Amino acid sequence: MKRIVILTGAGMSVESGLATFRGGNGLWDNLPVEQIATPEGYRANPSLVLDFYNKRRRELLTVEPNDGHRLVASLEEKFSVTVVTQNVDDLHERAGSTHVIHLHGELMKACSSREPQNLDYVFTLPSADTDLKLGDLAADGSQLRPFIVWFGEAVPRMDDAIEALAGVDAFAIIGTSLNVYPAASLLSFVPRSIPVYLIDPNEVTVNSNRSIVAIRKGASEGMRVLIDEYLNKME
Ligand code: APR
């Protein structure tokens, strides 16, 4: 079976109704990133941060995967697929993708604020009550916090993402501005002989001189082109 690795970002979930971060009316265009997406911001005002992620978690329960997520999941019928996502939503999984690596954490999960990456203390919040409040404690007795990788924190799953590239036959990038590292550096680990496809309705500045097939469309339409014009024709 041919192997495909797909790096996705917020643009993947636009058609599901979730906002992106940059480029006009994105989350970071309208909110104080330092206050709500850094460990310093959390320490300074934990209830503001808990509330921000509570709101995003409640919103996530109201949206569905889009055709783009479903087409990515359908690739598993013919290919060995790993999705490396920067997204913290669970829409890839809900669409049926079975091998998803979340580089920036998972919105539906909570963790210890003392040892955020200790998976012994990570668990999925019940959909009946997804809010995290001050006083909700992890098994290590520390305050529960969102299982999100904030700016300045380590990205432990990057190693798994790089390992997933072993023997890759095609690499696709969908719905990311490639602004954030180390996620954006994943491309540099793709052997130069491997075809790279980039699906995005806008121009994306790629920090690489390798040739990339740009599919200037949204995630769903772009996935249809990727499958029909390229992946189904791979020898
Ligand atoms: N289909 C596909 N891509 C789209 C669509 C769409 N319908 N609409 C917009 N896009 C593209 C935009 O053109 C842009 O290139 O999605 C990309 C979104 O870029 P960002 O908002 O920067 O989001 P992302 O690249 O995922 O951000 C990376 O930054 O703040 C951190 O942790 C956060 O994971 C996030 C990381």
Side-chain angles (χ1 to χ4, degrees):
M1 241 184 184
K2 297 267 187 208
R3 270 192 64 62
I4 299 176
V5 175
I6 304 178
L7 172 66
T8 68
M12 189 79 228
S13 301
V14 161
E15 292 166 56
S16 297
L18 296 182
T20 61
F21 293 95
R22 301 167 183 84
N25 204 25
L27 282 173
W28 297 157
D29 298 327
N30 304 312
L31 293 166
V33 187
E34 297 67 30
Q35 286 179 22
I36 52 175
T38 66
E40 297 76 21
Y42 173 71
R43 276 192 291 277
N45 190 340
S47 49
L48 176 77
V49 175
L50 292 178
D51 186 46
F52 170 68
Y53 288 94
N54 287 342
K55 282 199 189 96
R56 286 183 66 193
R57 207 171 293 116
R58 277 186 244 125
E59 179 191 36
L60 178 53
L61 294 178
T62 68
V63 302
E64 295 297 325
N66 61 61
D67 282 348
H69 294 107
R70 279 188 283 275
L71 287 164
V72 166
S74 73
L75 290 176
E76 294 188 19
E77 291 152 27
K78 288 179 69 178
F79 302 96
S80 158
V81 183
T82 298
V83 177
V84 178
T85 188
Q86 300 169 87
N87 299 341
V88 294
D89 65 53
D90 58 352
L91 296 177
H92 278 302
E93 290 90 341
R94 281 162 58 189
S97 286
T98 61
H99 189 207
V100 182
I101 296 173
H102 286 271
L103 295 179
H104 295 162
E106 299 178 64
L107 188 54
M108 293 310 292
K109 294 185 178 175
C111 64
S112 154
S113 49
R114 187 176 305 142
E115 293 182 79
Q117 289 304 329
N118 184 332
L119 300 183
D120 292 345
Y121 303 127
V122 174
F123 68 99
T124 301
L125 292 159
S127 51
D129 178 15
T130 58
D131 280 9
L132 283 178
K133 296 174 285 302
L134 285 179
D136 292 345
L137 302 182
D140 65 357
S142 70
Q143 169 67 45
L144 274 176
R145 58 161 268 192
F147 184 54
I148 300 288
V149 175
W150 285 324
F151 289 104
E153 294 189 311
V155 182
R157 301 269 354 241
M158 191 64 193
D159 293 344
D160 297 336
I162 293 165
E163 270 171 46
L165 289 171
V168 70
D169 296 295
F171 185 75
I173 301 168
I174 309 175
T176 175
S177 62
L178 294 173
N179 264 302
V180 171
Y181 286 79
S185 69
L186 190 64
L187 175 61
S188 65
F189 293 91
V190 178
R192 294 190 75 91
S193 58
I194 300 302
V196 175
Y197 307 94
L198 189 147
I199 298 172
D200 197 304
N202 302 307
E203 168 107 31
V204 177
T205 307
V206 184
N207 186 11
S208 163
N209 59 7
R210 71 185 298 159
S211 68
I212 290 174
V213 175
I215 302 172
R216 188 65 59 84
K217 293 186 181 300
S220 299
E221 245 191 292
M223 272 304 298
R224 286 188 194 93
V225 169
L226 176 65
I227 293 169
D228 296 345
E229 303 300 318
Y230 298 99
L231 300 186
N232 280 349
K233 295 178 178 169
M234 273 198 329
E235 271 77 49

